[in-house]
């Protein structure tokens, strides 16, 4: 949960800086995008390209200039609008076009290659998008600026912590590596007989360690065997002491106990 919150908040914080859209609007727009079959990353890239290309109005150049003029927007008035308002106005203009081929051409000129992924979202118009954004607020999945800042700060702190541990690991490795190098060189310089002796010692140690693990299991098996034997012996004594149906019933119960004990050998 913390990882998801941190990842989302950090991405929303950085995307807000890139696009100029508030974290609250972006997190609500994220839900609208997902409900339309796209994702907030695609929307964020499209918003960034839109702002950059609209910025070319100041130089009267760029691929989006003709498209925006054809859509009926005044360059000087449009360039000063907030990013979210620009997006909604362009959305309504594109959604109202009957000529889908021309709409796609204008969309690519304004949003770039991400327009293809945005089409299902843009087709809903600004009213449909805002309705989905309001639904996101009701669901409680809209993130605040403070939440995003906290997540970004936590992500940065964890990154610094990881780098600190990497620094420790580097320092430790720098001390140990020369020692291991000397050990490796010393082993390879040994004659064949000495190396075989070292190998045999290693095998003995490994075998001894394995024995320490296996022996307790063997002891447990013997304990189960003893339990099974005792259960069978008890059944025999009862069978001899009792006669008739009652005696056989007790015998069957004792035999069942013995069977359970023997079955334990398979575990």
């Amino acid at each position: 949960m913390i990882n998801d919150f941190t990842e989302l908040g950090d991405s929303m914080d950085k995307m807000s800086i890139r696009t100029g859209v508030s974290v609250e609007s972006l997190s609500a727009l994220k839900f609208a995008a997902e409900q339309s079959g796209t994702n907030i990353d695609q929307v964020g890239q499209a918003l960034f390209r839109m702002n950059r290309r609209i910025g070319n109005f100041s130089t009267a150049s760029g691929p989006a200039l003709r498209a925006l003029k054809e859509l009926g927007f005044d360059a000087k008035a449009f360039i000063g609008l907030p990013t979210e308002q620009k997006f909604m106005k362009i959305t309504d203009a594109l959604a109202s076009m009957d000529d889908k081929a021309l709409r796609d051409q204008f969309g690519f000129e304004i949003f770039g290659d991400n327009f293809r992924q945005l089409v299902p979202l843009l087709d809903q118009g600004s009213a449909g998008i805002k309705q989905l954004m309001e639904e996101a607020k009701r669901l409680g999945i809209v993130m605040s600026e403070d939440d995003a800042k906290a997540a970004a700060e936590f992500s940065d702190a964890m990154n610094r912590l990881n780098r600190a541990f990497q620094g420790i690991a580097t320092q430790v490795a720098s001390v140990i590596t020369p020692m291991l190098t000397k050990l490796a060189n010393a082993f390879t310089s040994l004659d064949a007989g000495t190396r075989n002796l070292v190998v045999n010692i290693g095998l003995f140690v490994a075998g001894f360690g394995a024995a320490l693990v296996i022996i307790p299991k063997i002891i447990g098996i013997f304990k189960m065997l003893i339990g099974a034997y005792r259960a069978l012996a008890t059944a025999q004594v009862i069978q001899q002491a009792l006669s008739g149906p009652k005696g056989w019933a007790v015998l069957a119960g004792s035999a069942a106990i013995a069977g359970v004990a023997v079955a334990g050998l398979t575990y």
Side-chain angles (χ1 to χ4, degrees):
M1 181 179 63
I2 292 175
N3 286 338
D4 291 343
F5 170 79
T6 302
E7 183 178 352
L8 176 60
D10 187 51
S11 65
M12 290 292 100
D13 181 67
K14 291 177 172 55
M15 188 178 295
S16 177
I17 296 172
R18 290 194 301 269
T19 62
V21 180
S22 68
V23 170
E24 288 87 348
S25 294
L26 282 175
S27 56
L29 195 56
K30 177 178 183 295
F31 175 75
E34 291 169 347
Q35 292 296 99
S36 303
T38 184
N39 59 71
I40 192 60
D41 291 331
Q42 297 285 354
V43 175
Q45 292 174 14
L47 291 174
F48 175 79
R49 288 193 175 99
M50 179 193 72
N51 280 333
R52 187 185 63 186
R53 294 181 178 187
I54 291 175
N56 288 331
F57 271 142
S58 60
T59 59
S61 64
L65 178 59
R66 182 184 66 87
L68 288 170
K69 286 184 177 180
E70 291 291 335
L71 291 173
F73 296 118
D74 178 71
K76 293 181 180 180
F78 196 78
I79 197 172
L81 295 176
T83 300
E84 185 177 352
Q85 192 171 348
K86 295 175 189 174
F87 178 71
M88 294 300 182
K89 285 182 175 293
I90 294 173
T91 295
D92 285 336
L94 293 175
S96 64
M97 293 184 64
D98 295 327
D99 189 337
K100 299 303 180 183
L102 188 59
R103 178 207 64 176
D104 291 347
Q105 181 180 341
F106 290 164
F108 276 110
E109 290 177 355
I110 296 170
F111 296 112
D113 294 337
N114 297 105
F115 173 74
R116 182 183 296 106
Q117 286 76 28
L118 263 62
V119 170
L121 177 65
L122 299 178
D123 281 346
Q124 299 185 58
S126 63
I129 295 174
K130 289 177 180 178
Q131 184 177 354
L132 288 172
M133 293 174 70
E134 287 298 323
E135 184 178 353
K137 292 179 181 179
R138 292 195 300 270
L139 293 173
I141 56 177
V142 174
M143 181 172 284
S144 69
E145 296 280 350
D146 291 339
D147 291 339
K149 290 292 183 184
E153 290 174 1
F154 178 74
S155 178
D156 293 341
M158 291 303 297
N159 183 62
R160 287 193 292 269
L161 181 62
N162 289 333
R163 294 298 178 267
F165 277 115
Q166 289 179 2
I168 294 173
T170 300
Q171 294 176 28
V172 172
S174 66
V175 175
I176 294 178
T177 302
M179 298 169 58
L180 294 177
T181 301
K182 291 180 180 179
L183 181 62
N185 292 334
F187 182 79
T188 55
S189 64
L190 295 175
D191 58 81
T194 305
R195 282 201 299 270
N196 289 334
L197 176 62
V198 173
V199 171
N200 289 330
I201 292 174
L203 291 174
F204 171 77
V205 172
F208 182 73
L212 293 178
V213 175
I214 295 172
I215 288 175
K217 294 185 178 180
I218 295 176
I219 293 175
I221 291 173
F222 275 112
K223 287 182 178 179
M224 286 187 288
L225 287 172
I226 292 171
Y229 173 77
R230 287 177 178 175
L232 288 172
T234 301
Q236 292 176 355
V237 171
I238 293 175
Q239 192 274 332
Q240 293 174 1
L242 300 175
S243 60
K246 183 177 180 180
W248 284 106
V250 175
L251 176 61
S254 300
I257 295 173
V260 172
V262 173
L265 296 174
T266 61
Y267 295 96

